Amino acid sequence: MEAFSDGVIAILITVMVLELHVPRGTHWSDLHQSVPTLLTYVLSFVYLGIYWNNHHHMLMLTERIGGLVLWANLHLLFWLSLVPFATGWMGENHFAKVPASAYGIVLLGAALAYYMLQTTIVRKQGPDSTLATAIGRDLKGKASPVLYITGIALAVVNRWLAIAMYVVVALLWLIPDRRLERAIAAVSTD
Amino acid sequence: MEAFSDGVIAILITVMVLELHVPRGTHWSDLHQSVPTLLTYVLSFVYLGIYWNNHHHMLMLTERIGGLVLWANLHLLFWLSLVPFATGWMGENHFAKVPASAYGIVLLGAALAYYMLQTTIVRKQGPDSTLATAIGRDLKGKASPVLYITGIALAVVNRWLAIAMYVVVALLWLIPDRRLERAIAAVSTD
Amino acid sequence: MEAFSDGVIAILITVMVLELHVPRGTHWSDLHQSVPTLLTYVLSFVYLGIYWNNHHHMLMLTERIGGLVLWANLHLLFWLSLVPFATGWMGENHFAKVPASAYGIVLLGAALAYYMLQTTIVRKQGPDSTLATAIGRDLKGKASPVLYITGIALAVVNRWLAIAMYVVVALLWLIPDRRLERAIAAVSTD
Amino acid sequence: MEAFSDGVIAILITVMVLELHVPRGTHWSDLHQSVPTLLTYVLSFVYLGIYWNNHHHMLMLTERIGGLVLWANLHLLFWLSLVPFATGWMGENHFAKVPASAYGIVLLGAALAYYMLQTTIVRKQGPDSTLATAIGRDLKGKASPVLYITGIALAVVNRWLAIAMYVVVALLWLIPDRRLERAIAAVSTD
């Protein structure tokens, strides 16, 4: 399952490159049109990197999987697979209001799917498992959807507030999940 | 062989994203044109997920492979590789009759190819193998082609009946193959 | 190296799907325009399947690799990566003469690259290795380039003769390399 | 991490094929328009091959990874993911000045990211690790950015000088890193 998910995320990251259309002219100024697409691309790249990173750490502490886990995982991959679509819409329209909201909805869907996957996996491992202890109260996981909803709503007022919100959540997660990393280190040295 | 198949299915799932063209305008109403494509995308995503899931379980109980199995596997991947093409044709034409039939033909081809692959693998493992016992009479595997053919024929009368048929088969399979899962669990605990 | 090559071939096989453009209309007759592309797609799919199959078997008997082997392998992947390009050109132009020759040139390049890779690997394993013995005189490997050159030349006279030649070579190889398969079986049972 | 990176590089190499647009006509002369794109494609293919090769060797000597290494790795993949974009811009514009500079900037970014990744990994393994000793003073790693900057600057004077510079760096690296290969061989025979 891990190899499959890694494969899908790897492909999604590179499929986004295809949305970076080659600029028409041959001057530096012709790159200007690509700047919003490029910035959106960077943000989505970071997001997919975060998901890959955390997903990877979570599966290292997962010992038992089953049919439900497989489908919860596919559900997460479904939302992540919409990222290139939302990235393209937002980037090509220079961060217009509606595409900026749509981008937030996709991020929200992915965050909820990740939370569901995590809950399904933890339930399968038991409440005293290393994973359950490592995740703990999961404040970041619970705060993210709230911040995304705020961002989606703020897009109506000012699109830059929405973008700022998405960047803030990305920064929150950019720091790899030390909880899981420490738990993995502890398990390996046992 | 498993890694290769996983790779191909992972890529097919994401290649379909490329058929999701970025909408022209920047209003919610501009997303309307993408709705049929999106729904078809969801259906095809679920189908590829089902194939990946069952294929994955089947290979876990496969001990011996050979040239014939490799080609039966490529034959399955061939039909699955036509899914993005059929998805695009049906989605862009708002579930028109002929594309809806064509979509069913691709699903039928994939179902028959899967059945052939399964038969080839079972023959290689022997009639008393864990896999042969786990699969048993395989009612779902035998019913699916019949349901697809019904769907393809119904598309001439009413396209929505065809779509309904494809959704029904997907739901039938959405429940992961408990037979194989139980057999895998039994083998692992031995 | 095997995982990487498998990945590249898996992606190439699916990248070709992107050359299958969704037909414009919604009638069966609208599929006619896609028929040549589809047939070319089938031929290229079979070719990539053959390469994957034989490459896979060869690497199973390879014990030592080095820098030269890695580059000989990338050289093969380079020619294979041109297959979707040649497929698209030939398919979209209904098997016109020049694209049919170009397709043959890409197949010829891949065949020579495979032969070079095989020679490099065999040299690394030594003349008495299982692989060297299994490959033997390699009549098929030596005949293929000659048949491709004949096909490329025949395209000037009649394009169908060229296509026929490519199909013949594919059929020659479609039978998996029993030599290697037998050698692998012998090694595994030792 | 290695499988994920291998996957991304494999996909990037093949995504570039999609920039090779099928020529319009069916004469050999119609291929002329594709020649610059094809040459750029070869150069980028070689570059991605070099990165895959060296990255692969480096990870074979890496024993400990952590959050920082994962992000340094994603940073490298980010720059590599811009290669198809830069390749397309340069190839479609027949090596015009500005795209030739932009191509160099992407190569420079990738080189610096690789250097940072290497430094991060070495620090994690310790100064007396096999990897640290094998890399040594890393003259090639330090010279490459200087040569890229020279190339980017020279593009203003004459674009062919820039291209020549990129080809020279590629040739410098084409020889696989014997230092690492020797170290891997030494470790394996211990």
Side-chain angles (χ1 to χ4, degrees), chain A residues 1 4 7-8 11-12 15 18-19 66-67 70-71 74 77-78 81-82 84-85 88-89 92-93 96 98-99 101-102 105, chain B residues 6 10-11 14 17-18 20-28 31 41-42 45-46 49-50 52-53 56-57 174 176 181:
Chain A
M1 188 177 88
F4 181 74
V8 172
I11 298 156
L12 287 173
V15 154
L18 296 171
E19 303 282 351
L70 288 177
W71 280 104
L74 274 169
L77 293 179
F78 174 74
S81 80
L82 293 180
F85 175 72
W89 202 26
E92 282 179 25
N93 293 294
V98 174
S101 286
I105 290 169
Chain B
D6 276 17
I11 298 155
T14 37
V17 188
L18 296 172
L20 291 175
H21 299 297
V22 169
R24 289 277 164 94
T26 59
H27 297 283
W28 288 113
L31 261 185
Y41 176 66
V42 173
F45 191 97
V46 169
I50 290 166
W52 170 66
N53 216 326
H56 186 80
H57 279 109
L174 209 55
E181 236 181 285

Side-chain angles (χ1 to χ4, degrees), chain D residues 158-177:
Chain D
N158 185 318
R159 50 191 176 163
W160 299 113
L161 288 175
I163 307 296
M165 206 55 103
Y166 307 151
V167 172
V168 163
V169 183
L171 290 177
L172 264 181
W173 284 99
L174 208 55
I175 307 127
D177 231 309

